[in-house]
Amino acid sequence: MLVVDKLNAWYDRSHVVQDVGFEVRAGEIVTLMGRNGAGKTTTLRSIMGLVGRRAGSVRFDGRELLGEPTPTRYHHGLAYVPEERRIVPGLSVRENLQLGLIAGARRAEMARMVDEIAETFPRLKERLDQEGTSMSGGEQQMLAIARAMMAQPKMILLDEPSEGIMPVLVDEMFELFARMKARGTTLLLVEQNVERALRVSDRAYILDQGRVVHEGRGADLLADAQIQERYCAV
Ligand code: ATP
């Protein structure tokens, strides 16, 4: 579904992503792991067209996207939830969700989608009329993910969704990923929470200094303490 090949990205002179290649097949959960600064966020941002200088190939459902403007990706069914959640202050949970629908949706369709998404996110269902930014960090993260799902994307890129969230919500978040997968949504995660991420992942790639240095099945990497210690200790 997503095939990244010889992806390179630069911030000014620094060459942060170097010949990165990986793929995510339809229906999979795939995780990118690696230490702070390994280039994981920049890889996601490059896929989304958000890094000024980039080269290589990013194919999504057979279409080359790397040179396309960012919104094109949303129209083809690729969504992105960045680390900073960008919940709009002053708007309720419901209104924030409505922002996730592609412009032009009818009122009835909007209401139906909010109801449907709220079923998947019980915490949000109870808080639909509360102001979005008044919720806890973890709940706001759920809202950011739910908002991305409003447009019914085929695939979502998630940057450190469990970062800074209280443990009970981290558990809920990973259960949610399994439910999203069961609904047919494909996920690419960047996660520091290595053990939990590997438990839900079909496969994972390890980045180090801007390059892919290892790939494997989630279960195999979970059992490989050496690899985890070498590349993933923060
Ligand atoms: P983290 O978990 O800390 O976000 P990461 O693996 O996601 O790590 P990136 O955020 O992609 O890593 O950063 C890769 C490298 O690029 C780092 O050396 C970082 O300092 C540098 N970098 C990131 N963003 C910028 C920027 N906007 N301008 C210049 N350099 C940047």
Side-chain angles (χ1 to χ4, degrees):
M1 176 171 253
L2 179 76
V3 183
V4 174
D5 189 29
K6 293 199 173 61
L7 181 67
N8 286 272
W10 294 261
Y11 289 119
D12 296 320
R13 293 251 187 95
S14 78
H15 190 180
V16 177
V17 172
Q18 302 185 25
D19 284 335
V20 162
F22 62 91
E23 72 175 301
V24 185
R25 301 171 198 135
E28 277 190 321
I29 299 182
V30 171
T31 297
L32 299 181
M33 310 184 328
R35 289 202 188 86
N36 284 332
K40 306 176 299 291
T41 296
T42 308
T43 298
L44 294 191
R45 288 175 47 82
S46 305
I47 293 170
M48 293 308 290
L50 296 166
V51 176
R53 195 169 156 218
R54 53 191 194 266
S57 166
V58 170
R59 272 181 294 133
F60 182 63
D61 272 351
R63 268 190 207 90
E64 177 58 53
L65 289 180
L66 195 70
E68 297 287 320
T70 301
T72 309
R73 286 140 177 92
Y74 290 94
H75 289 117
H76 292 311
L78 183 61
Y80 173 50
V81 181
E83 208 176 339
E84 66 284 2
R85 301 156 192 139
R86 303 198 190 128
I87 303 308
V88 182
L91 296 187
S92 68
V93 169
R94 185 192 308 280
E95 289 161 338
N96 267 285
L97 284 174
Q98 288 168 348
L99 291 179
L101 268 186
I102 288 179
R106 287 171 202 279
R107 193 175 282 266
E109 157 84 355
M110 215 180 242
R112 191 184 61 76
M113 277 308 295
V114 170
D115 287 348
E116 191 183 317
I117 295 292
E119 287 307 318
T120 316
F121 294 81
R123 245 168 218 280
L124 300 181
K125 189 176 174 186
E126 291 163 18
R127 296 173 171 78
L128 281 175
D129 297 308
Q130 182 175 330
E131 185 176 346
T133 49
S134 70
M135 298 193 299
S136 75
E139 288 160 354
Q140 290 190 45
Q141 183 67 51
M142 299 255 181
L143 176 54
I145 297 170
R147 185 175 58 190
M149 286 187 71
M150 286 286 288
Q152 298 175 273
K154 297 178 200 157
M155 178 171 176
I156 308 188
L157 314 185
L158 293 159
D159 197 355
E160 303 214 6
S162 74
E163 169 85 8
I165 289 180
M166 57 179 165
V168 54
L169 275 187
V170 173
D171 291 342
E172 267 186 43
M173 184 91 64
F174 280 97
E175 282 163 22
L176 171 70
F177 297 153
R179 285 206 300 280
M180 287 163 75
K181 177 182 156 107
R183 281 176 55 135
T185 310
T186 304
L187 298 179
L188 176 61
L189 301 177
V190 161
E191 260 299 336
Q192 297 276 3
N193 207 327
V194 168
E195 198 185 318
R196 278 214 175 77
L198 287 177
R199 269 186 218 289
V200 297
S201 295
D202 297 288
R203 293 181 307 108
Y205 293 83
I206 299 177
L207 265 70
D208 191 44
Q209 296 183 16
R211 294 177 181 276
V212 173
V213 292
H214 203 84
E215 79 164 280
R217 292 192 322 131
D220 294 342
L221 289 172
L222 194 57
D224 195 334
Q226 228 178 345
I227 287 271
Q228 285 181 44
E229 201 168 307
R230 183 154 171 211
Y231 296 112
C232 302
V234 178

